[in-house]
Amino acid sequence: MRGFSDLGTARAVTIWKADPKKKMECQKITNFGNQLLRRKNVDCTREDSRLSRCLNTFDLVALGVGSTLGAGVYVLAGAVARENAGPAIVISFLIAALASVLAGLCYGEFGARVPKTGSAYLYSYVTVGELWAFITGWNLILSYVIGTSSVARAWSATFDEIIGQHIEKFCKKYMTMDAPGVLAKYPDIFAVVIIIILTGLLAFGVKESALVNKVFTCINVLVLGFVVISGFVKGSVKNWNLTEQDIYNTSHSISKDNQTQEEKLYGVGGFMPYGWKGVLSGAATCFYAFVGFDCIATTGEEVKNPQKAIPIGIVASLLICFVAYFGVSAALTLMMPYYQLDTNSPLPNAFKYVGWDGANYAVAVGSLCALSTSLLGSMFPMPRIIYAMAEDGLLFKFLAKVNEKRKTPLIATVTSGATAAVMAFLFDLKDLVDLMSIGTLLAYSLVAACVLVLRYQPEQPNLAYQMARSTEETDNNESVSTSESQAGFLPEEEEKFFFKAILCSTDSDPSKFSGSVVNISTFVIGFLIVGICILTSLEPNILINTVQIIAAILVVTIIFIIRKQPESKTKLSFKVPFLPFLPVGSIFVNVYLMMQLDAGTWIRFAIWMLLGFIIYFTYGIWHSVEASYTASAEVERNTDTGSDSCK
């Protein structure tokens, strides 16, 4: 039998050698695949940066709070309490905060691991390869552009509301745009002015931008503190214990609907009038209120001590935002019955209800400050993502230009500001807001998956990063290519794939085999979670429920397999706890929310990705900086091989 096997192998080798055309085609496909999955080498031992390192931990906390604690705190609590959760909105915010912390901790570990500019784009690049990194970065750009434009229009509308809607009346009279469904009703000049001012501030310097952000954030927090204290002083616990009769008596005096209809509209009273279903539905909405902390991760090259400051900044900002949301929602539902809250302006309505009309001026100031910090939080990370991608060669190189005096990514800042200004000027953006969610949730999911993969690899990539761009290695005739750095994660010894090693690994340190097990397991978990979440959006039946249960059992089994693999002992200033449960939980939450978006949003997402792939495959893949490192390393390796053969 062995003779037949050897004969078959010999024939295969002969055919392979006799058909060089097939060999070349296979080699081209392999090289193309390697190009798409090549990883970025980062020298984490070097602290020099083209940007200015001037931010401290307090600056990052203020940036995270300002970006996350936007105008939604003045509006969202009223809508969710009235329509979803009632007084139990405080539990909805708690659940949403815990889900956000899952993603925040993953960002915190990568901030400690790779303290460079780029956020989720960079984290994907060093872990899962160039193509995934481009997809992540491209979608983050879209999220920040739409976020900036929509917040600018909201700022303009809020200010106009305060002064009596004079801007809207003037623009509708003299500047109406007659293109419903395509353009806004009128061009928002005031929103453009706001974006131009903040673009100039960001181009002037990061230190000055951080100072302005801290001032507005502190004012916003003080106003929210006033709201919370006022609510506890003027509120009554009775509003958390309303009966069905109370709801009926109040609402029946306004409308002639019967009691059954009112119960359907406003629940059954008590602390949790809509039940746990309403609480969870409210939590899904409240989750988006915590989006924004990821802007902290883009400051890796502008923070004095990024390994410690970034994790602390992310966790602290999320904690402060949770306390603020919890306090405001509790104050609102204590001041007046939840079913009487105004979904558009709950705080002014609540203060009017308790006889404190004068407090509305403080609310107006706080909402404008919140919108200002939220706008700055959307604009701050956008040029840094563009700068990081351009510096890596995936976007046009001129976008990576840095002002030598101010040390800011000037061209990227101006370009992103101009793009956002045009969109705010012409479009209403209501139909595009959901696209922000796809980009953000995709980034959260990839970062969680990357943490899961890297923590079980035999050698942390920092060692490869330190070698990648070190001139000292040339003295020893050593070079590190992208493919070698990927192989460097795994030791050279070969291990046989067998069932016992998967379930009962006795190694104390990760190996090539255990690392491969985790890589495959992570991919399978991601696939199963996507399948489960897609099925949840369909009409439930016995077959769908059975498939979901089987998939859930498989996910739990694979998590158990990952848990049995040896974990890396590399020391970091911050590590995600409860592996692998926490990253998997984060992936599930993010994917579930993505699958709840409508078909129109996914079609727009596909169009945006098509445009991105055109740029990547016509420019980025050929100008990638990592490609040049790979090519130079390949030439050096071939030279070394040739010199060895001559000896």
Side-chain angles (χ1 to χ4, degrees), residues 15 36 57 87 131 236 303 342 438 462 530 547 582 645:
I15 292 172
L36 298 180
T57 304
L131 180 62
S236 172
V303 187
D342 191 317
I438 289 185
N462 288 9
V530 170
V547 173
L582 194 148
S645 63

Side-chain angles (χ1 to χ4, degrees), residues 243-431:
T243 64
E244 295 180 51
Q245 190 63 38
D246 293 331
I247 297 172
Y248 175 74
N249 291 339
T250 306
S251 57
H252 191 67
S253 63
I254 301 173
S255 65
K256 300 301 180 183
D257 295 335
N258 60 46
Q259 186 172 0
T260 303
Q261 290 174 321
E262 292 303 331
E263 287 175 4
K264 291 180 180 178
L265 286 173
Y266 303 123
V268 295
F271 179 73
M272 203 178 291
Y274 301 97
W276 277 107
K277 184 178 181 181
V279 171
L280 295 176
S281 174
T285 305
C286 293
F287 177 84
Y288 294 106
F290 292 92
V291 169
F293 67 84
D294 52 310
C295 68
I296 295 176
T298 64
T299 64
E301 294 184 35
E302 295 165 289
V303 187
K304 294 176 183 177
N305 188 4
Q307 285 91 344
K308 291 185 178 179
I310 290 178
I312 292 173
I314 290 174
V315 175
S317 61
L318 284 174
L319 178 61
I320 293 171
C321 290
F322 164 67
V323 172
Y325 281 123
F326 185 96
V328 170
S329 58
L332 268 176
T333 51
L334 285 171
M335 279 196 284
M336 67 184 298
Y338 68 90
Y339 56 87
Q340 291 184 323
L341 288 170
D342 191 317
T343 55
N344 295 319
S345 53
L347 284 176
N349 190 35
F351 279 116
K352 185 178 180 179
Y353 183 85
V354 297
W356 281 20
D357 291 3
N360 291 338
Y361 294 105
V363 172
V365 172
S367 61
L368 286 178
C369 289
L371 283 166
S372 300
T373 57
S374 182
L375 182 58
L376 196 59
S378 295
M379 295 184 66
F380 185 88
M382 179 165 45
R384 281 147 184 82
I385 296 292
I386 295 173
Y387 160 78
M389 295 179 71
E391 191 175 44
D392 291 334
L394 303 188
L395 290 180
F396 308 110
K397 201 69 179 176
F398 72 91
L399 294 170
K401 182 173 176 156
V402 174
N403 184 290
E404 295 298 329
K405 183 178 180 181
R406 310 307 309 181
K407 290 193 174 182
T408 56
L410 183 62
I411 303 299
T413 302
V414 173
T415 302
S416 58
T419 304
V422 170
M423 293 191 68
F425 184 73
L426 297 176
F427 301 106
D428 196 12
L429 301 172
K430 287 182 180 178
D431 293 333

